[in-house]
């Protein structure tokens, strides 16, 4: 049998995965179904649960009354008068918002009883468009708020006005980015148990909750219990997340309340219709980018206006999408001055949250479209306009005006490699021939900085400096790991991240085996997460490409300590100086005399069985927990600057598209993608991350959009309407290249890689479509770019 690339795959390929819906972690579990609002905006006049409670098999039914009696509003990331509960309490604010929960002995009985829940609504006018929500007379979602603007901050770094006053050109463009989701194979799932203990309630919840675990205090705050009284357990297998499963946390609180009133554990598993209707998505954004440009196309300053539509509530961790890329707001470009206005607007859509590359795909759609538009104004080729503005290789570490510190890179050489792999000059020649034949062919480029190992302190930027509590800021890129060795020399590794299919266990096994000189079979990684036993901090979790730079650094720190103890034990067995020993091929041996060796397991056995033989003062400890806390991740400064990520990789995409004049179908004819993720830990897994992000980017660029009617009704509620790319659409010529500029800030020099293409490819495709349709006078300012959109653009242009 051929050895699989990942140790995770054998169980998954043979149907032995352990997903939450396969497990029955708590005995006597009941099953819940959620009753949801059919209205985008409606006042709740009355709720009658009596008939539902009387149905066969029903253990309890809860509604707004029980929620208000049991829960507090979730703590928000900013001080905004938009209280958020897991159900509607006074009025419903989006279609699909939970209003009641029916708990019964099985799902069928619960759904039957849900038909008897009686809710009297007073429908209200709805607002779904971001620009409409900003109007003074727009329907107000939250009565206690002054407007639908939940947060509004302006930042200025450098002499922006002076740069614009001196500019030869001022290029200003407005763009919009759609909301789309991740559509993981497995939807949300929760099993919750509420117990009343001597010191107050204790809640245990099993959930496919990938993190970040900054949400644990949020859930505990709503439950009104200490974080120590909330136990979260995550199974080993999660059927995808890509960010949006962080939004399962309201249902953790909701099912905990359901368990309280039912008196037994409660299980809830979301179906696909619920997921598309009301789970989470990335935020849709309106944005304006304005650049001060000289006669050579060099940008000296930017003005950036970002408006995120976060849906009905500013649900934590929002407004993160506005700030996650704050430190890299100027992208790959050497720009000294920038003004940023960041607003989040509430509307009658489902709340938003994390989505793969969150904040990055929105930012780069605007910034990289702008660079192409600058090239048009200055009559400079898209590749050359980027070369002229890129941060030079000798400038690293490079400080951005907003506080980012780019650790390493060589952007020019990576772009050159992408152009070479694409045969850029050949594509341009081909394009000229194609255009002479009246066909539409375009070439698009995107170059982006890929932030990884997020510093969660960026969320503090949403709060004005004067309102932040002194010396109580938020920051951190910490990850924990625990490594232990048993008497047989088997090494167990407990990870502090929760994987969603990336291969964390495989990489951890290989790193530990190499560092301790062991065969991989002697290392056993564990990836289940249990906040009662797994080491974690607020920033722990699988998000923002944290594993490669952070957790691996913690792994090496723990392994260093294990290796030191093993060498001490080996020195006793060999009668040698510990400093003269090395760990290799499963042995502890004298480096200058390889024949003098003992088995690693014998050295481990000595620590366990004969600790009295160790040198005096040496602890018999083969159990190490390590935390990697990079000092570069600080809270936001008093000048509102922040290094919002620890590491900054790079992606350069060159894509060629052809557009059929009859069907308006966009076909990708070639994609050249070059990634700099620092040190490559596993080439196969890196390619998998690139391909996965590529498909998600393809969906956002050409197919996917969560659309709503003007009345707030979702119009893409099934896979018949919400179109995802399939293997057919994902098969096109791809040339993948890699460059390694190791990070000086992580133990292995690794940076993240899982999100880069999801940030770069959407706008690269948009740039290619814009290039293809340039002869027709078409401007591309939004996505997705499927046939219906292109038809409307072409007809509008002809009509004008």
């Amino acid at each position: 049998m051929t050895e699989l690339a990942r140790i995770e795959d054998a169980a998954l390929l043979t149907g032995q995965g352990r997903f939450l819906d396969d497990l029955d972690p708590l005995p006597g579990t009941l099953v819940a179904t959620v009753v949801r609002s059919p209205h985008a905006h409606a006042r709740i006049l009355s709720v009658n649960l009596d008939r539902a409670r009387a149905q066969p098999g029903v253990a309890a039914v809860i509604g707004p009354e029980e929620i208000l009696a049991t829960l507090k509003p979730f703590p928000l990331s900013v001080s905004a008068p938009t209280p958020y509960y897991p159900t509607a309490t006074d009025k419903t604010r989006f279609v699909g918002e939970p209003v009641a929960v029916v708990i019964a002995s099985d799902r069928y009985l619960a759904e039957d009883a849900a038909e008897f829940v009686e809710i009297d609504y007073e429908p209200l006018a709805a607002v779904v468009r971001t620009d409409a929500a900003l109007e003074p007379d727009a329907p107000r979602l939250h009565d206690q708020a002054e407007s639908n603007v939940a947060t509004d901050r302006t930042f200025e770094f450098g002499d922006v006005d002076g740069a614009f006053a001196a500019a030869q050109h001022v290029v200003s463009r407005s763009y919009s980015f759609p909301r789309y989701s991740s559509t993981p194979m497995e939807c949300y799932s929760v099993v919750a148990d509420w117990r009343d203990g001597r010191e107050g309630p204790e809640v245990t919840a099993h959930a496919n909750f990938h993190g970040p675990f900054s949400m644990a205090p949020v859930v505990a705050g709503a439950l009104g219990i200490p974080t120590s009284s909330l136990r979260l357990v995550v199974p080993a297998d999660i059927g995808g997340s890509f960010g949006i499963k962080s939004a399962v946390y309201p249902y953790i609180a909701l099912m905990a309340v359901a368990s309280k009133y039912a008196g037994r554990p409660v299980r809830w598993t979301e179906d696909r219709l619920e997921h598309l209707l009301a789970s989470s998505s990335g935020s849709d954004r309106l944005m304006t980018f304005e650049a001060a440009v000289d006669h050579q196309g060099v940008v000296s300053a930017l003005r950036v206006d970002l408006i995120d539509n976060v849906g009905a509530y500013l649900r934590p961790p929002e407004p993160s999408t506005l700030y996650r890329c704050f430190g890299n707001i100027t992208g790959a470009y050497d720009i000294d001055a920038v003004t940023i206005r960041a607003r989040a607007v509430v509307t009658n859509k489902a709340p938003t949250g994390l989505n793969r590359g969150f904040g990055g795909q929105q930012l780069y759609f605007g910034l990289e479209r702008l660079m192409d538009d600058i090239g048009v104004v200055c009559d400079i080729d898209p590749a050359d306009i980027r070369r002229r503005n890129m941060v030079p290789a000798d400038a690293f570490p490079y400080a951005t005006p907003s506080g980012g510190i780019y650790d390493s890179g060589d952007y020019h050489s990576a772009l050159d490699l992408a152009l070479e792999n694409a045969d850029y000059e050949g594509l341009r020649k081909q394009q000229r021939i194609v255009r002479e034949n009246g066909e539409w062919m375009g070439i698009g480029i995107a170059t982006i900085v890929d932030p990884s190992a997020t510093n969660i302190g960026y969320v503090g930027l949403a709060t004005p400096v004067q309102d932040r509590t002194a010396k109580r800021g938020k920051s951190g890129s910490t990850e924990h790991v625990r490594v232990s060795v048993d008497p047989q020399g088997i090494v167990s590794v407990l990870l502090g991240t929760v994987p969603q299919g990336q291969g964390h266990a495989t990489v951890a096994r290989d790193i530990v085996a190499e560092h301790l000189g062991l065969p991989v079979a002697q290392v056993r990684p564990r990836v289940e997460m249990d906040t009662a036993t797994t080491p974690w901090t607020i920033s722990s979790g699988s998000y923002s490409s944290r594993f490669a730079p952070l957790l691996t650094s913690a792994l090496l720190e723990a392994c260093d300590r294990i290796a030191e103890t093993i060498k001490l034990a080996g020195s006793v067995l060999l009668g040698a100086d510990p400093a003269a020993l090395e760990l290799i091929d499963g042995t502890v041996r004298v480096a200058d005399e390889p024949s003098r060796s003992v088995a690693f397991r014998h050295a481990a056995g000595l620590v366990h069985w004969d600790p009295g033989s160790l040198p005096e003062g040496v602890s018999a400890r083969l159990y190490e927990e390590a935390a990697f806390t990079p000092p570069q991740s600080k809270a936001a400064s008093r000048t509102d600057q922040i290094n919002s990520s620890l590491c900054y990789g790079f992606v350069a995409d060159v894509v060629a598209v052809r557009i059929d004049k009859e069907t308006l179908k966009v076909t990708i004819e070639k994609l050249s993608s070059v990634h700099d993720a620092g040190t490559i830990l596993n080439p196969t897994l890196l390619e998998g991350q690139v391909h996965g992000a590529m498909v998600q980017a393809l969906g956002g660029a050409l197919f996917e959009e969560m659309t709503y009617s003007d009345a707030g009704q979702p119009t893409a509620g099934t896979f018949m309407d919400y179109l995802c790319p399939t293997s057919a659409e994902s098969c096109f010529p791809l040339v993948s290249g890699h460059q390694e500029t190791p990070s000086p800030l992580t133990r292995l020099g690794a940076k993240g890689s899982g999100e880069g293409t999801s940030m770069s490819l959407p706008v690269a495709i948009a740039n290619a479509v814009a290039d293809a349709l340039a002869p027709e006078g078409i401007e591309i300012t939004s996505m997705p770019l499927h046939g219906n959109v292109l038809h409307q653009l072409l007809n509008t242009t002809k009509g004008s």
Side-chain angles (χ1 to χ4, degrees), residues 701-768:
L702 299 179
F703 302 99
E704 300 179 43
E705 183 178 13
M706 308 195 85
T707 54
Y708 291 78
S709 72
D710 289 341
Q713 290 290 332
T715 56
T718 73
F719 284 150
M720 293 288 288
D721 316 294
Y722 185 85
L723 303 180
C724 298
T726 69
S727 58
E729 289 79 26
S730 305
C731 291
F732 49 79
L734 168 66
V735 182
S736 182
H738 298 284
Q739 174 178 281
E740 292 185 75
T741 58
S743 172
L745 307 180
T746 65
R747 285 288 301 269
L748 294 173
K751 306 177 185 181
S753 63
E755 300 173 277
T757 307
S758 68
M759 302 177 188
S760 59
L761 186 55
V763 67
I765 292 174
N767 284 343

Side-chain angles (χ1 to χ4, degrees), residues 544-560:
S544 298
S545 302
R546 301 170 58 83
F547 174 83
L550 298 178
L551 191 129
T552 60
S553 295
L555 263 182
L556 291 187
E557 186 172 327
C559 286
D560 284 344

Side-chain angles (χ1 to χ4, degrees), residues 632-684:
Q632 293 80 11
S633 296
K634 302 290 187 184
S637 71
R638 305 303 290 177
T639 58
D640 280 326
Q641 292 175 297
I642 192 166
N643 188 28
S644 48
S645 293
L646 176 67
C647 304
Y648 298 87
F650 182 78
V651 182
D653 284 344
V654 181
V655 60
V657 305
R658 192 80 67 103
I659 303 174
D660 187 282
K661 280 198 165 184
E662 295 297 324
T663 65
L664 300 182
K665 178 183 178 182
V666 178
T667 301
I668 295 178
E669 296 203 329
K670 177 177 282 189
L671 171 61
S672 168
S673 187
V674 170
H675 288 247
D676 182 352
T679 303
I680 298 174
L681 303 180
N682 184 306
T684 301

Side-chain angles (χ1 to χ4, degrees), residues 73-86 93-94 97 141-142 145 147-153 179 215 218 247 249-250 279-281 283-285 306-323 342-354 459-464:
F74 289 107
L76 303 182
S77 301
V78 299
S79 297
T82 57
Y84 175 51
Y85 292 91
R93 295 177 173 87
F94 66 96
E97 182 171 15
L141 266 75
H142 299 273
S147 71
N148 291 321
V149 178
T151 177
D152 184 353
R153 291 222 61 203
R179 66 167 51 194
M215 294 297 100
V218 172
Y249 77 86
S279 62
S280 187
S281 69
S283 61
D284 42 326
R285 175 177 290 179
L306 311 175
I307 312 173
D308 276 9
N309 185 334
V310 297
Y313 302 93
L314 191 69
R315 176 169 65 186
E318 293 286 27
S320 289
T321 308
L322 284 167
Y323 295 103
R343 285 175 280 177
V345 174
V346 292
T347 66
N348 294 112
K349 294 182 177 181
T352 60
L354 313 186
V459 177
L461 291 167
T463 302

Side-chain angles (χ1 to χ4, degrees), residues 435-478:
R435 283 184 172 174
E436 289 174 0
N437 294 330
E439 299 177 57
W440 290 334
M441 175 185 174
I443 303 161
I445 298 174
T447 54
I448 66 112
V449 171
D450 182 6
S452 58
T454 283
N455 170 14
I456 63 170
Y458 65 75
V459 177
L461 291 167
T463 302
V465 172
Q466 64 271 18
D467 296 335
R468 296 178 207 155
T469 305
K471 298 186 178 180
R472 292 184 62 188
K474 294 179 174 64
S475 70
S477 295
T478 297

